[in-house]
Amino acid sequence: MSKPHYLVGTGSTQRLKRNVPSHLKGLARKDVWGERIAHLPAKEAKQRAHLFAVRTDAELRKLEAQFEQGGGSACSDTLSVLNLDLTRARQIALSYFHNRDQANLESGAYFLSQDDPDYDDLLEVANADFREALDEASGHKRTTDPRALELLVEHGVLSRSKADQLNASGWPDELASHRAFQGFCRLLERADLELAKRRYRSWEMGSLAIIDSSIFGRVTGGEISHSSATSAGQGKTIADLKSAFLKQHVSKVTKSRAAQYRIPFRVLEERLGPNMALGSITRDDARNLAEFLPCIPPYATWHHKGHSLADAAARHEAATGAPANRSKETKTLLQVITQAFDFAVNEQWLTSNPFRGIGANVPRDQRKKYLSKKDTYEPFPIADLNRLFALPLFTGSVDDENGCHKPGPNIVRRHRYWAPIIALWTGMRENEILQLEKADFGKTDSGVSFVRVTDEEHGNYRGTNFAKRVKTENAIRDIPLHPIFEQIGFLEWVKNRPDGRLFPEAAIGAAEKPSYLYSKRFRTNLKAAKVWKSRRLVFHSLRNNFNDALRDAGVPEELRKAINGWHEQRSMDQRYGRGQKVETLFAHVKKVQYPGLSLEFLKIAAEVVPGRASSR
């Protein structure tokens, strides 16, 4: 069988590609049409190629018609005011790169702890951003032009009215052939690529990655002369670094992340001294400190209060007969120390980071032997779900707090009751559920009920412990609600709730987000049902159950990603248009089922009359 037209590559590189005729590139605002279809079976790839050919043929006909009607020459008089040469284009592009890079450094965007519970997902997002930037820079996609015009307006090269005129004119060929403007666009694409690559590599390595671009490398301050760094950092000590670094970063991270910063600085102060000059720290000092880190016992601050970390390590060894060997925690501590000294380099206090490349030696007997067993969450077996939903919390208990595991007459429908049900039939994350507001629920014109995952707050919650947040930008989405929510009275329950947070009780006593407290409460449910498995069967496992149910129902991967809020739904294709319709997603969500799951607890819920004490 011959290979379909426009199909190139194989496996993970398989894609559809069709070149735009040179005389139409200005109107099309791109050099090629492209579409990724990695790993599709031959039959489906052939079908996609056929549809791709039909779609691009239609685009060609439309562009040719515009060209014949003079679209290719429109607005040529406007270009006469685009007073841009290659030197000015390079200056603006370098400024653009420097400003974004500096903002990333100051906000901590280049730093991510490998022990962060969302590390794998966030690294995947960063990798996707890098691949997307690579597509732009390699010419597979062209979306830079509108942004380039905005920058030219910002720098006074072009007036706002002329930029609007260019935008409205259909992008004339003269703009596509304007050498300086196109060079400017390519520089912006390279800048975006270097920024995305630096973030991804920094997260992957656990320390600040260098810029290896010949164009942008000098802009970062990476090539600091020894004399200038020595002068700027003369007399700077570990105490100075601690003060400046924490001031810069603590206010921009969560309390748990801020707490991770303090132990590393305590190690530096105790082992090297708070008044030790940064420039005096050698590679041998860094290695010796790294060798000590695994010996710090767990909860040293609590269990060995008033003792130094060295004393705590000695006390732990005396009590247990062996030194603490906390290799995983060592990586986190070293990552923060390396990040702090990268900060010193960027401040020109040092010419190089003595901790860069210093790693934690993991003993051979602590290395993973079975690589096939991924360190990830597992979906609940159906038998475990049946045991979970057979708890008194769902069938009748004393209350939903201290008496939630004692059989009683009440079904208290608040966050402890609803959260696992919502997760099982929507795939929403724990915090996404607990921060829901009544205003997040809606209905389309065709009558499909949905819930909106967003960080937008509809009420005034000033003075409360937490603010709405989402994991990433990609998590913002509309999820159609499975018909079961109508059947069990959940939608009626939402309708009868007062405006504001749907689960205000979940925030009581919570830290920065309600999931901190609820995850402990849910763990007590799992333990009561005898289905708990540390770091394997947790609340997030319900999200795995939902995705498996979508997969079993034959829901295409693209739609599963849109429903679950994964990064691909924010790909370049999704930046144009409104994305998947709720009705389209609903046609697939309603297929979700869990064969073997006993729904008796839901039948009980459906029988509860709204307004009774047991249905609070």
Side-chain angles (χ1 to χ4, degrees):
M1 183 177 67
S2 61
K3 193 172 185 179
H5 285 307
Y6 312 123
L7 181 63
V8 298
T10 58
S12 62
T13 64
Q14 184 173 251
R15 65 185 189 278
L16 297 168
K17 177 183 177 182
R18 184 175 186 177
N19 292 328
V20 178
S22 58
H23 67 290
L24 299 178
K25 288 181 180 179
L27 288 173
R29 286 184 281 169
K30 63 180 70 177
D31 295 333
V32 296
W33 288 291
E35 180 181 336
R36 289 185 178 276
I37 54 170
H39 300 297
L40 279 185
K43 183 177 180 181
E44 189 172 346
K46 184 178 180 180
Q47 293 173 342
R48 293 281 287 273
H50 174 71
L51 292 173
F52 179 78
V54 172
R55 178 170 60 81
T56 52
D57 280 341
E59 285 285 326
L60 274 173
R61 287 193 295 270
K62 183 175 72 174
L63 293 173
E64 289 286 7
Q66 291 179 8
F67 186 81
E68 291 173 3
Q69 293 170 8
S73 60
C75 217
S76 58
D77 59 325
T78 307
L79 289 178
S80 63
V81 302
L82 188 55
N83 186 21
L84 179 71
D85 57 28
L86 289 174
T87 300
R88 182 64 173 142
R90 183 182 177 87
Q91 290 172 345
I92 298 174
L94 290 176
S95 173
Y96 167 80
F97 176 87
H98 173 74
N99 291 339
R100 288 196 57 193
D101 185 64
Q102 196 63 32
N104 287 344
L105 287 168
E106 292 176 359
S107 67
Y110 288 136
F111 307 108
L112 176 68
S113 170
Q114 294 181 359
D115 288 331
D116 190 299
D118 297 327
Y119 174 80
D120 290 337
D121 285 346
L122 293 174
L123 186 65
E124 187 180 0
V125 171
N127 187 27
D129 290 342
F130 170 60
R131 292 198 308 269
E132 189 171 298
L134 185 60
D135 277 348
E136 290 269 3
S138 61
H140 292 152
K141 297 176 181 177
R142 283 284 186 258
T143 62
T144 315
D145 294 12
R147 186 156 47 90
L149 278 188
E150 291 301 315
L151 281 170
L152 293 181
V153 172
E154 182 181 323
H155 285 266
V157 176
L158 192 66
S159 68
R160 164 54 57 195
S161 61
K162 293 299 183 183
D164 292 341
Q165 187 177 351
L166 279 168
N167 271 310
S169 69
W171 293 88
D173 270 353
E174 286 86 348
L175 194 58
S177 61
H178 195 290
R179 184 179 175 214
F181 179 74
Q182 291 302 318
F184 180 49
C185 291
R186 304 297 81 78
L187 283 170
L188 293 181
E189 289 160 1
R190 284 291 304 276
D192 288 339
L193 175 62
E194 293 301 330
L195 291 164
K197 181 167 67 173
R198 191 178 205 194
R199 183 177 68 146
Y200 173 63
R201 288 185 175 174
S202 295
W203 288 7
E204 188 178 40
M205 294 188 307
S207 61
L208 186 66
I210 63 172
I211 295 290
D212 53 12
S213 166
S214 59
I215 302 173
F216 301 106
R218 295 177 182 272
V219 182
T220 66
E223 298 184 7
I224 304 167
S225 69
H226 181 79
S227 59
S228 65
T230 302
S231 175
Q234 187 174 13
K236 295 296 183 181
T237 65
I238 288 175
D240 293 326
L241 177 59
K242 175 184 176 181
S243 175
F245 181 83
L246 294 181
K247 181 179 180 180
Q248 183 79 268
H249 291 82
V250 166
S251 63
K252 300 174 182 177
V253 297
T254 62
K255 291 181 180 178
S256 59
R257 177 67 62 83
Q260 291 179 346
Y261 289 152
R262 301 191 186 279
I263 285 291
F265 279 105
R266 181 178 170 185
V267 175
L268 287 167
E269 290 179 324
E270 289 188 6
R271 303 294 291 185
L272 301 177
N275 296 320
M276 185 171 189
L278 298 179
S280 301
I281 299 174
T282 66
R283 294 286 284 179
D284 285 338
D285 291 330
R287 289 190 184 94
N288 291 335
L289 187 143
E291 289 176 4
F292 169 71
L293 294 178
C295 301
I296 300 174
Y299 305 107
T301 304
W302 295 354
H303 296 169
H304 305 279
K305 191 173 183 179
H307 293 269
S308 69
L309 294 175
D311 288 344
R315 286 162 59 90
H316 176 86
E317 184 173 358
T320 62
N325 205 342
R326 307 179 71 221
S327 301
K328 183 178 179 181
E329 290 75 10
T330 295
K331 290 182 179 179
T332 301
L333 297 175
L334 262 180
Q335 185 181 41
V336 174
I337 293 172
T338 303
Q339 180 182 349
F341 277 81
D342 280 335
F343 171 82
V345 171
N346 287 319
E347 291 294 308
Q348 300 188 19
W349 294 353
L350 291 172
T351 57
S352 61
N353 184 343
F355 287 89
R356 181 176 293 231
I358 300 292
N361 292 322
V362 181
R364 185 178 182 85
D365 59 358
Q366 291 189 21
R367 297 173 189 166
K368 290 184 179 179
K369 181 178 179 181
Y370 302 105
L371 297 179
S372 61
K373 294 183 178 179
K374 291 188 67 177
D375 185 15
T376 188
Y377 304 123
E378 302 170 1
F380 285 106
I382 292 298
D384 286 359
L385 287 177
N386 282 330
R387 282 193 283 270
L388 171 65
F389 290 121
L391 291 175
L393 175 65
F394 301 99
T395 60
S397 63
V398 173
D399 56 47
D400 67 338
E401 294 179 348
N402 295 329
C404 68
H405 301 314
K406 299 176 183 178
N410 300 311
I411 299 177
V412 185
R413 302 197 298 176
R414 299 198 299 178
H415 76 286
R416 293 191 74 171
Y417 177 88
W418 283 123
I421 296 172
I422 295 171
L424 191 59
W425 269 277
T426 66
M428 290 173 66
R429 298 176 177 91
E430 188 173 11
N431 207 57
E432 291 174 349
I433 295 171
L434 298 175
Q435 67 185 13
L436 282 172
E437 297 176 84
K438 182 177 180 178
D440 292 327
F441 291 81
K443 185 175 287 191
T444 67
D445 292 340
S446 62
V448 176
S449 296
F450 66 91
V451 58
R452 173 158 295 160
V453 178
T454 177
D455 59 357
E456 179 184 358
E457 292 191 327
H458 305 282
N460 181 5
Y461 307 109
R462 193 171 300 165
T464 57
N465 289 348
F466 78 95
K468 250 182 173 181
R469 67 181 71 188
V470 291
K471 182 177 177 181
T472 65
E473 180 186 357
N474 312 306
I476 298 174
R477 64 201 188 278
D478 291 343
I479 306 174
L481 294 175
H482 192 282
I484 202 163
F485 287 107
E486 178 78 36
Q487 298 164 12
I488 64 176
F490 174 73
L491 297 180
E492 183 67 21
W493 180 84
V494 171
K495 180 180 177 181
N496 292 329
R497 298 292 294 171
D499 291 339
R501 297 200 192 280
L502 209 59
F503 305 114
E505 74 284 353
I508 298 175
E512 291 179 308
K513 52 184 181 179
S515 56
Y516 286 150
L517 180 58
Y518 177 69
S519 60
K520 298 176 182 178
R521 291 171 172 169
F522 187 72
R523 186 163 63 243
T524 67
N525 294 346
L526 297 181
K527 288 183 175 180
K530 295 181 171 51
V531 299
W532 178 70
K533 189 188 294 185
S534 178
R535 300 190 67 82
R536 289 294 185 273
L537 293 178
V538 296
F539 189 89
H540 198 84
S541 298
L542 296 167
R543 183 167 160 83
N544 290 14
N545 282 106
F546 179 73
N547 189 51
D548 280 349
L550 289 173
R551 188 184 293 110
D552 292 343
V555 178
E557 183 180 6
E558 176 188 357
L559 299 185
R560 295 203 310 272
K561 290 173 178 175
I563 295 167
N564 285 304
W566 290 329
H567 67 85
E568 281 83 352
Q569 70 147 331
R570 293 282 175 179
S571 64
M572 191 58 63
D573 176 65
Q574 291 296 324
R575 292 186 184 180
Y576 296 89
R578 299 182 62 85
Q580 301 290 350
K581 292 183 178 179
V582 170
E583 288 83 358
T584 301
L585 299 179
F586 177 68
H588 294 277
V589 166
K590 68 181 182 182
K591 299 176 187 175
V592 167
Q593 55 183 322
Y594 298 98
L597 177 65
S598 173
L599 302 179
E600 290 301 315
F601 74 100
L602 293 180
K603 294 178 182 177
I604 295 173
E607 294 170 359
V608 174
V609 178
R612 285 171 53 181
S614 61
S615 62
R616 288 184 294 169

